[in-house]
Every structure is written in C-alpha cells, then in structure tokens.
Amino acid sequence: FIRPSCASVAYAGMREGEDRPAARDGLVRGGEDAALAPSRGAARHGRAAASPDPGGHGHRHRRPLRHPLPAQARPRRVRRQVNQLYDLLYMMGRDDIAVGVGGEGGISNDGRIYPHVGGYFPIIDQGMSTIGECRYRQSIPQGSGGRLDINANYGVRREILPQGNRSYSPIQQPTTQQVMIDTISAGPTNVFLVGTHTNFALFLMSNPHLKKNVKHIYIMGGGVRSQNPTGCCPKNDTSCVPRQCGDHGNMFTTYTKNPYAEFNIYGDPFGAYQVFHSGIPITLVPLDATNTIPITESFFKAFEEQQSTYEAQYSFQSLKIARDTWFDDQFYTSYFMWDSFMSGVALSIMRNGQKPNGDNDFAEMEVMNITVVTSNEPYGVHDGSNPFFDGHASPKFDLLKGGVHSGHVQTGFNDSFCVLKGSTKGKCQDGYTKEVQGPDSVAVLVAVKAKPNRNVKSPLDREFFYHFLEVLNRPEHTGHFNFTDQFRHYKEIMYKPDLEHQIRGKPVIFDMDMSPGDFLALLCLLKAPMEAIDLRGILVSGNGWANPATVDVIYDVLHMMGRDDIPVGLGKITALGAPDLGCEYVKAIPHGSGGFLDTDTLFGLAWVLPRSPRRYTAENSVKYGAPRDTARPELRQPLAFEVWQHIREELKPTDKITILTNGPLTNIANIILSDPKAESVIESAFL
C-alpha cells in the first residue's frame, strides 16, 4: 500500500500461504509521505521488490516480476505519482494489483475517524477536509532535489516507462483505506511500511477487528542507536562545522531543531506510535542498518554493467540521475539503500520461515525494546503546539492527561522550543525510535548491520548487493516493454509552425499555474489567429493550484497543437519572500478532490494527451550553477526568468509585450525586480 504527497510508498500487502511472496492485492497512496529524493534510496529493490524510482531503456519483450513491492520514496505528491505507479505495474504485467489513492474523509474535533481519510496530513493535524498545515512535511524540499524531482522521477519516468491501461480517475479511483480493508479482510497479510505510517495507523485505529489478519509488519524507518555518517568534517579541518554528523536521525533540513528523527517516522510520529504499539509483530530496518550499506562506487559500476531487463535499466537510469544531480561530491558515502534493503531483509526472513531471531541472508538482527517519541517533556504543559490536548476538555482519542503524548509537539523547522542554547543541534525528539525500558516499550526485531558478501573476492562488499543485481536482472518474470518498445512507430518529432512568412500579431507571454482553467485559457490562446495574438512563451508558477511537475502537461498540450516552438519556463516553487521550506499560502489549496489531486492530472484527462518529446528533466550543467554537468545538460528545464530574457532579446525595437497571467504573480514580480528593462517593454498586463 502506498502513500502520496511528498514522497513515498507506505505499504505493500502480502498474502500468507503463497508459493512466492507477492504484493498483488493492493497498493495504497495516501497523503503526507516524509521521504525524499536525496535522503532516500533511488534504486529501491530487494530480492523480490521492483523499484518504482529507477529507470532505463530496453529493447526486448519480457515477462514481469511476479512479486513487485513498489516503493516510491521521495518527496512527491500522490496525484502524478499514482500514474507513474500504474505505468510501472503495467510494464511489469501486474495490472491485477489494486492501487488506492487518498480519500475525502476526515477526523472530527472529538476524535471520530470518518471513512476514507486520505492520509494527506499527520493524524495530529487531520481535520475534516484536505486543507491544512504542513507541520512535518515542510522539512522536505519542494524544488530540485525534492518534490519536483520526485514527482517527475527526474524526468526518467516519461522517457522510459510505457503508458499503462490504468490512470487516476476522479470519483472512480479506489481510496487508500478501502484498498487496505479489502486486502486485509481477505486473509493473513504481511505489511511493508516504507513511508510515513499515517495510512496504516488510521486503518488500525478504525478497524481493530482486522488486526488479527495482519501477520507481521516490516518497517523501513527510524534510527535507534544509529550515528549519521554524513555531514562530518574531514580530519584535521579545524574550520569545518559538522552538520548532522553522529545524529541518530537523518533530517538534513531540520537537524538543528531535531537531530533524532528519520524522515519516515518524523512524517507522523503519532501514527508510527500507533503502529509500533499495535501488538502486531514488527521487524524494523532502521538507519542503524541502512547506514552500513551505502551505494558504493563499485556497486554503481556493477549496476551500470548489468542492465539486461527493462526494470534494471529504469532503475539504473533513476539512480544515475540522482547521483549526477547530487548536491556535493559525497554521493557514494551518503546515499544508502533504504527501502530496497528493507524489502530484501523482509523477504529473506519470510523465506526462512519468519524465525523469532529474524534469521536472514542480508542483515544482522537484534531484539530491542523501543518506542516512538510523539511529544517532548515536560508532559502536561499546554503551549498551543499540541492539538490532541490544547482546547479540549477531554484529550482527543481519550489520550492520557500528562502522558507521553501530552508534551510540546514540534511545530516545524523553525520551532524555537527545539533550540538548545549553546549547541548547533536541537533538543526536540519527535519521531525518535528511542530505546527504552518499562511499560511504554515494545519488543521489536531490529536490523543492526548489513552482512558482508560471503564471496570475499567480490568487488561488492555486501551480500545484498549481489542479490539485488541478480534478481533485478533475472530473465524470469521481467517487464514487457518500455515506452519505445510499446510504441514501435513512435518518433520524437518536434512540431513547429513555419513562421518565416507568417504575419505575427501582438507579442504575448502567458503566465499560468496549471489549473484546469488555465489549460482552457491556453487552448484558447493557441486557437487564436497568430495575426492577432502571437504567443511567444509560457511562464509556469510553481506555487499555485498544481504541482510544478505538471509542466509536462503543458508540453503535451503544445505538442498536440503543433506548437513545440513555444518555450516554457518554470518559476519559483514558493511565494515571493517565502522560505524554500514550508507551505506558506499554498496551504489554503486542498490536497484532495478539487485541489492538487485533480489539478495535477487535469481530472485524469492528461493521460489521453500525446507524449511530447519535451518534458521536465533534472538534467543540468555547471554553466547554470549545478555542481557538475549531467549526461545531457542540453535537456535542462529553462527557468521562467530565462524564457523572459530570451523573448525580450528577440523583440524588434518597436515591439512591446503583453502579459496574461492566470495564477500567482510571483513570476511577474521577479521579472520586474530582476530586469531593469522589464517595465519599458511590458505594454500591459491582464490579471
């Protein structure tokens, strides 16, 4: 079962008693995943798990893996990602797997959980609608390296994945909770959680009678005794200030306030607490273990040489672009096999009969007594940070007054309560999988270290590396085709009008935020006679009613209309003056029906558009400020200001520009503030 929003899959169902492990009953996407691209594994595939992150080109028809456990774990929104998941399942021949997305249900002020809660918010902030704050999600970057790249899988998805038979469809789309209920009601089920725990926690809280059907829970997340190996200073460098080095967690955006949490658990600490304290047997693969299996250079090279299946090719291309766009030169020591390693450990345990000691091929195991920290001491002090208690005569969900949930709850990455005077590290522990003793502890089987390769002569130093590549390239049960093999007559042709002898009218720039109404306006502009309106360029607002990765839909519309000549520039992801992290202003836009879920997919209609040769891509170059040139820097996505400059430079001396804007005015404000010549060439603006 999978979760949406920023980033990642949350749950994969597995039936007991099958000859082979198979997550074929349901995948569910909810709303507020806490995983994100740079802090999560790109090639996430265990011995029996196919990774939805990765990519590649293929040339032969193949059969699908029979046990895909999709796991998208990056900061993303569910709307576009559900279609990526459908396409991945189609490639693997697994259209039998149900996919659940969101839901419009809510939680009342008195704690009543209504049916079909979509999981767009952590339980502590879930109200009666899909509009709300981003207490935890604000720690996930929104642009490059964050949700933008994850939503488009760096551009690899549209380049490689075939177009499946299924797509998101309003009203008809099964909800997260319904798919879980249907799957688990059918019989004993193993559950994989590789994202935030909101969806599954809500399922357990709403369906206690179905707990007996959950045989085991496997979790990737948390850090118990872990010490973060990233953000450390070189030896003898006295000027260097360590960042998250040595932390239990991996919150690289929030460690100055919370050095204890890992993204998956931090996305909904209370939800994770409900899962851990459910009484269901749990195996945890935390940072303790994943920190010992980084993507090494030797593994990367071996992967590059072993791509004999479509899924291996797609996986490697995704991993490669993640490496090529990495923010520093420490990729091979700071990018780990998170979800994929958990999948491998879990499947190995299951194949070995789920022994109490967790015997498996890939990780050393240990039983620990742990809990999930949901609030900070002192308990019972109401300071406005804790909606479970603040403003309630009786705590929500009948929680214990003065109990472990009653303290200060971190409000975001700028929470002053979390500042520890005299230290660069914070004191908040929300989401910490803490080792404790006493009545609040739970005995959990924990992976503590990746096992070395039994073949000491192999360049791959971990046993899991060898099995990962072997399974991903196994000729049995592999993918049918990629996009170009699915449509063998498809050619990437750019359709452009002949403008040499064309009478061109008033130069116009269209600034849009990609809502359905904006696309109707775009079609009207494209249908207008060029003698009257000459659409020179499109600027995209990344902080309006659609996810910025929806820029791909603009490219498809232009391709359909034969206007591949029109440049498209991507604007800022946040409002003018707003921080890069956070959800200021856009928090007023619904996540569910009528909001992001529908606008990102044009109410499901974007699926029927032709596929343009142009698409958003994370390809970049040093020339534009990237740390290095990627493989194809010429494909780089232009920025809004660059498109403006290009249009202005091509104007005739007497030409003036008319701007039509149907979204936030951020792009226009940035142009006026950044270009001294802008006001002299802008004739008028229609808002």
Side-chain angles (χ1 to χ4, degrees):
F1 296 100
I2 304 181
R3 310 186 25 67
S5 138
C6 25
S8 125
V9 188
Y11 178 99
M14 207 176 262
R15 289 288 184 78
E16 180 185 17
E18 301 198 9
D19 294 335
R20 51 181 171 67
R24 64 182 180 186
D25 290 301
L27 298 175
V28 179
R29 281 191 180 277
E32 165 142 353
D33 269 5
L36 83 157
S39 72
R40 299 292 302 271
R44 301 138 46 129
H45 170 82
R47 275 186 60 87
S51 164
D53 293 352
H57 298 286
H59 305 285
R60 296 183 297 172
H61 292 287
R62 302 184 179 277
R63 291 293 302 159
L65 279 174
R66 289 302 177 190
H67 27 284
L69 300 177
Q72 257 294 66
R74 307 222 182 135
R76 57 185 123 132
R77 288 196 176 120
V78 60
R79 12 289 171 190
R80 293 181 58 78
Q81 290 308 106
V82 67
N83 285 339
Q84 174 170 308
L85 181 56
Y86 278 139
D87 291 346
L88 180 68
L89 293 174
Y90 180 70
M91 179 181 77
M92 302 303 297
R94 295 309 306 270
D95 278 343
D96 59 302
I97 296 179
V99 177
V101 178
E104 296 300 303
I107 300 177
S108 66
N109 198 43
D110 60 2
R112 179 183 175 185
I113 301 175
Y114 285 78
H116 306 295
V117 179
Y120 294 107
F121 306 102
I123 294 173
I124 193 171
D125 291 327
Q126 176 66 62
M128 288 299 294
S129 74
T130 66
I131 299 173
E133 299 280 353
C134 57
R135 178 190 299 262
Y136 302 120
R137 193 179 67 248
Q138 64 184 270
S139 297
I140 300 172
Q142 300 181 65
S144 298
R147 292 192 188 96
L148 173 59
D149 283 339
I150 299 315
N151 288 333
N153 194 20
Y154 297 87
V156 174
R157 173 214 166 188
R158 283 172 57 87
E159 178 183 5
I160 294 173
L161 284 184
Q163 183 163 316
N165 295 320
R166 297 185 292 172
S167 66
Y168 167 76
S169 178
I171 302 176
Q172 300 176 13
Q173 180 70 48
T175 67
T176 296
Q177 293 298 317
Q178 190 57 55
V179 171
M180 281 193 285
I181 291 170
D182 292 345
T183 301
I184 296 173
S185 295
T189 307
N190 290 290
V191 175
F192 284 18
L193 291 169
V194 290
T196 54
H197 293 191
T198 309
N199 282 338
F200 193 59
L202 288 168
F203 167 82
L204 293 174
M205 295 168 73
S206 303
N207 303 279
H209 62 289
L210 290 177
K211 265 189 193 180
K212 64 181 185 298
N213 282 7
V214 181
K215 181 179 179 181
H216 202 100
I217 303 172
Y218 295 92
I219 297 171
M220 188 280 125
V224 186
R225 302 170 184 167
S226 55
Q227 293 186 335
N228 196 322
T230 67
C232 298
C233 293
K235 292 182 179 179
N236 302 322
D237 188 345
T238 57
S239 62
C240 174
V241 178
R243 299 188 301 277
Q244 63 269 34
C245 182
D247 293 352
H248 288 296
N250 67 348
M251 303 287 295
F252 65 91
T253 58
T254 317
Y255 70 91
T256 58
K257 304 298 187 299
N258 185 337
Y260 298 93
E262 178 273 337
F263 274 100
N264 281 351
I265 308 300
Y266 179 77
D268 190 346
F270 183 78
Y273 184 95
Q274 297 305 308
V275 172
F276 275 81
H277 289 262
S278 65
I280 300 168
I282 289 175
T283 295
L284 177 68
V285 180
L287 298 177
D288 306 53
T290 60
N291 283 345
T292 67
I293 187 165
I295 300 291
T296 63
E297 189 169 5
S298 296
F299 170 77
F300 187 90
K301 290 180 178 178
F303 198 176
E304 190 171 25
E305 295 169 357
Q306 299 180 51
Q307 302 177 59
S308 60
T309 63
Y310 292 117
E311 55 272 23
Q313 293 155 10
Y314 183 54
S315 298
F316 177 75
Q317 290 300 320
S318 297
L319 180 62
K320 183 177 185 301
I321 191 64
R323 184 203 65 171
D324 291 349
T325 56
W326 196 247
F327 68 97
D328 63 14
D329 60 355
Q330 301 300 312
F331 176 84
Y332 293 120
T333 59
S334 54
Y335 200 94
F336 304 93
M337 298 193 84
W338 291 276
D339 300 347
S340 54
F341 187 58
M342 187 283 284
S343 297
V345 170
L347 292 168
S348 182
I349 290 174
M350 295 169 69
R351 288 198 176 98
N352 289 338
Q354 289 182 312
K355 297 177 182 177
N357 64 354
D359 181 46
N360 71 91
D361 297 324
F362 308 126
E364 298 175 9
M365 310 298 292
E366 182 179 337
V367 175
M368 300 182 189
N369 293 320
I370 63 177
T371 189
V372 177
V373 176
T374 62
S375 70
N376 300 277
E377 298 186 51
Y379 298 135
V381 177
H382 306 312
D383 59 5
S385 69
N386 192 334
F388 287 146
F389 293 85
D390 298 331
H392 293 277
S394 298
K396 209 168 183 177
F397 303 126
D398 294 323
L399 298 178
L400 179 65
K401 291 183 177 181
V404 294
H405 305 300
S406 67
H408 177 91
V409 178
Q410 187 172 345
T411 58
F413 60 88
N414 280 328
D415 190 339
S416 60
F417 174 91
C418 302
V419 175
L420 187 61
K421 291 183 178 180
S423 174
T424 59
K425 302 293 179 71
K427 66 179 182 179
C428 281
Q429 299 186 10
D430 306 61
Y432 178 26
T433 45
K434 188 175 184 179
E435 195 170 9
V436 297
Q437 301 297 327
D440 198 46
S441 65
V442 178
V444 175
L445 186 62
V446 179
V448 295
K449 185 179 180 181
K451 289 182 177 180
N453 195 332
R454 285 174 287 191
N455 180 3
V456 295
K457 296 182 179 180
S458 172
L460 304 177
D461 62 354
R462 296 290 183 264
E463 184 71 15
F464 181 67
F465 284 154
Y466 168 79
H467 287 271
F468 175 92
L469 295 178
E470 189 274 328
V471 170
L472 203 58
N473 287 281
R474 193 175 289 171
E476 300 85 14
H477 312 310
T478 188
H480 287 290
F481 36 58
N482 60 13
F483 183 75
T484 54
D485 279 359
Q486 180 188 18
F487 300 103
R488 292 187 176 275
H489 298 289
Y490 173 81
K491 295 181 180 180
E492 290 196 341
I493 299 174
M494 300 281 279
Y495 292 102
K496 302 179 181 181
D498 182 2
L499 301 176
E500 185 176 354
H501 303 293
Q502 173 71 49
I503 298 175
R504 306 178 69 170
K506 185 184 293 293
V508 170
I509 290 177
F510 185 41
D511 181 53
M512 60 186 292
D513 71 350
M514 301 175 292
S515 68
D518 285 18
F519 279 101
L520 292 176
L522 174 59
L523 288 171
C524 289
L525 290 173
L526 294 171
K527 294 284 285 183
M530 193 176 292
E531 297 86 351
I533 294 179
D534 181 15
L535 183 58
R536 297 286 184 92
I538 297 173
L539 311 182
V540 177
S541 296
N543 58 328
W545 271 80
N547 162 11
T550 309
V551 66
D552 285 342
V553 183
I554 297 177
Y555 285 134
D556 289 348
V557 169
L558 293 175
H559 187 60
M560 177 180 72
M561 301 301 292
R563 294 304 308 270
D564 287 327
D565 60 303
I566 297 177
V568 179
L570 189 58
K572 279 184 62 66
I573 310 300
T574 57
L576 193 68
D580 291 336
L581 296 175
C583 61
E584 190 70 24
Y585 307 121
V586 295
K587 63 189 178 186
I589 300 174
H591 285 263
S593 297
F596 288 123
L597 179 59
D598 286 333
T599 56
D600 283 356
T601 61
L602 281 187
F603 291 85
L605 297 175
W607 182 77
V608 304
L609 291 171
R611 189 173 295 197
S612 169
R614 295 191 291 174
R615 59 186 169 272
Y616 170 80
T617 173
E619 300 281 358
N620 211 335
S621 69
V622 174
K623 176 182 177 181
Y624 292 99
R628 66 194 64 81
D629 285 351
T630 59
R632 294 176 292 175
E634 70 279 2
L635 299 180
R636 172 183 171 272
Q637 169 64 50
L639 300 180
F641 188 70
E642 294 165 1
V643 169
W644 159 263
Q645 288 179 310
H646 171 75
I647 295 170
R648 180 175 60 76
E649 290 168 1
E650 288 195 337
L651 290 175
K652 297 177 181 178
T654 58
D655 282 346
K656 299 287 186 179
I657 295 175
T658 296
I659 294 177
L660 308 180
T661 176
N662 276 17
L665 301 179
T666 310
N667 289 333
I668 310 305
N670 280 324
I671 288 171
I672 293 172
L673 292 172
S674 304
D675 185 357
K677 298 180 180 180
E679 293 185 49
S680 64
V681 297
I682 298 176
E683 181 178 38
S684 57
F686 293 84
L687 314 181

